Amino acid sequence: MEVSSERVLAPLEMSQTASQGGQPVPGDGDYESLPPHVSVTTHMTAGAVAGVLEHTVMYPVDSVKTRMQSLQPDPNARYRGVYEALRRIIRTEGFLRPLRGLNITMMGAGPAHALYFACYERVKHSLSDVIKSGGNSHLANGVAGSVATVLHDAVMNPAEVVKQRMQMYKSPYRGLWDCVRTVTRAEGAGAFYRSYSTQLTMNIPFQAVHFIIYETMQEWLNPHRHYHPGTHIVSGAAAGAISAAITTPLDVCKTLLNTQENVALSSMNISGHLSGMANTFRTVYKLGGPAAFFKGVQARVIYQMPSTAIAWSVYEFFKYFLTKQEARPVSRNGK
């Protein structure tokens, strides 16, 4: 069922003017510049819900992306496109196979995104006050996104390692805890952070570009910063797609570090475990040339566009909803 944006905006616009003397009520409709009484818990709760939904809704496409980034895939795991890959995986490996590793992703996404959005909002507002006296600043948005990414990836990196190993074709692990135990025993606890530097190298520019594009599009499409679902979806989708395409080469390197793809490493006579971003870049180039850095770019963009749109629309909705819930007792006490 289609919901008219005018119906959503009308109550907000009415609430801004419904006060004595026709003056707007401070904080009542000022959704983006949150009132002082709103706690960090609001951002953390909204971020956690948004993060879990972002990763779960498009998870099957993420599984396909991981396989398509394989540098020397099994002949039975060579795919021409996302839809063909999903159809073949379901037909040959079972209906639930594209969801393998979803449990660890959900466990990591909640706390990671709670920290991510809470940190982003706090740093963005602090820097904007200094740089532009509270106005929107692209520099503040980019720096805030980068700082938030460091916290997010510190929580999410171990989950990414387990997830991607379980997503690979003929993954040898029986389940989540079997994967954790096996990797810890064979490679040590450091294996869960082997790709952390590469992940940061990828995600810091990804999130900087992502937040700058999102905030810029909000300036164009939603200059008054009302709660407007359509603008959050469009801005989020555009930000996710552009950022994903730009950073695909780094994502390919991250996947190789996380999965330690045996066939590919053996063909390069690499014994032990591959580590280091520079070494990984050289390995990817030797295995497939420049084209190898863009393996899975289609799946990555297809995954990121709706995922980022979902994350922003859900986050903005819950931020709006929780802000209103927290403001309600204050308005009642003031009567």
Side-chain angles (χ1 to χ4, degrees):
M1 186 175 68
E2 202 169 302
V3 180
S4 171
S5 60
E6 285 81 359
R7 293 181 187 174
V8 177
L9 287 168
L12 291 175
E13 291 167 351
M14 288 174 64
S15 67
Q16 285 180 301
T17 56
S19 61
Q20 293 181 353
Q23 295 299 316
V25 179
D28 192 37
D30 194 9
Y31 155 67
E32 279 291 333
S33 52
L34 291 173
H37 68 272
V38 176
S39 65
V40 175
T41 308
T42 297
H43 295 298
M44 296 189 77
T45 304
V49 174
V52 170
L53 286 176
E54 172 191 352
H55 285 280
T56 54
V57 172
M58 296 302 294
Y59 188 82
V61 179
D62 184 57
S63 295
V64 169
K65 184 215 71 168
T66 297
R67 292 195 180 193
M68 292 182 78
Q69 287 181 336
S70 175
L71 295 171
Q72 291 199 351
D74 186 283
N76 293 321
R78 297 179 187 272
Y79 311 110
R80 293 189 300 272
V82 176
Y83 176 71
E84 186 262 343
L86 272 175
R87 189 176 57 183
R88 202 196 316 168
I89 290 170
I90 292 171
R91 189 178 68 247
T92 60
E93 302 175 49
F95 181 75
L96 296 178
R97 185 67 181 191
L99 299 178
R100 201 160 192 264
L102 178 60
N103 47 3
I104 185 62
T105 301
M106 293 178 66
M107 290 168 62
H113 280 72
L115 288 172
Y116 173 72
F117 278 109
C119 177
Y120 171 71
E121 294 284 359
R122 179 59 62 88
V123 174
K124 180 183 78 171
H125 286 132
S126 298
L127 290 178
S128 294
D129 288 340
V130 174
I131 297 171
K132 280 201 171 181
S133 301
N136 184 47
S137 164
H138 295 318
L139 177 60
N141 298 334
V143 172
S146 300
V147 173
T149 299
V150 175
L151 291 178
H152 171 276
D153 286 0
V155 175
M156 201 65 191
N157 206 85
E160 282 283 322
V161 173
V162 175
K163 177 199 77 171
Q164 290 199 299
R165 293 198 181 207
M166 293 181 69
Q167 286 175 333
M168 293 296 284
Y169 181 69
K170 289 186 176 180
S171 172
Y173 310 107
R174 294 190 301 274
L176 163 61
W177 297 115
D178 177 55
C179 181
V180 172
R181 283 193 300 267
T182 304
V183 171
T184 304
R185 189 166 55 244
E187 304 174 39
F192 296 105
Y193 282 95
R194 188 179 288 128
S195 63
Y196 185 54
S197 59
T198 302
Q199 182 104 333
L200 286 178
T201 305
M202 174 185 72
N203 280 344
I204 286 177
F206 175 93
Q207 298 300 351
V209 172
H210 166 203
F211 280 113
I212 289 170
I213 293 173
Y214 180 82
E215 297 288 355
T216 300
M217 291 198 67
Q218 283 292 289
E219 284 183 347
W220 295 342
L221 302 176
N222 189 16
H224 300 296
R225 296 305 179 108
H226 295 303
Y227 170 62
H228 196 314
T231 66
H232 301 313
I233 291 171
V234 172
S235 301
I242 295 169
S243 303
I246 291 172
T247 56
T248 295
L250 290 163
D251 192 50
V252 171
C253 294
K254 181 207 75 173
T255 298
L256 181 59
L257 281 169
N258 280 347
T259 59
Q260 295 291 307
E261 195 180 340
N262 290 328
V263 176
L265 298 184
S266 298
S267 68
M268 294 292 297
N269 296 318
I270 296 175
S271 57
H273 307 295
L274 182 67
S275 62
M277 187 174 65
N279 193 23
T280 307
F281 259 91
R282 285 193 296 269
T283 303
V284 171
Y285 183 79
K286 289 177 182 176
L287 284 167
F293 289 102
F294 287 91
K295 287 177 75 70
V297 63
Q298 179 194 36
R300 180 165 161 78
V301 171
I302 290 173
Y303 167 74
Q304 284 293 346
M305 276 188 72
S307 293
T308 313
I310 290 167
W312 274 112
S313 58
V314 171
Y315 173 67
E316 299 285 9
F317 167 74
F318 271 91
K319 192 169 72 170
Y320 165 73
F321 175 76
L322 293 171
T323 299
K324 290 298 181 184
Q325 291 296 107
E326 290 188 14
R328 193 168 296 166
V330 175
S331 61
R332 284 176 180 169
N333 293 336
K335 286 183 179 179

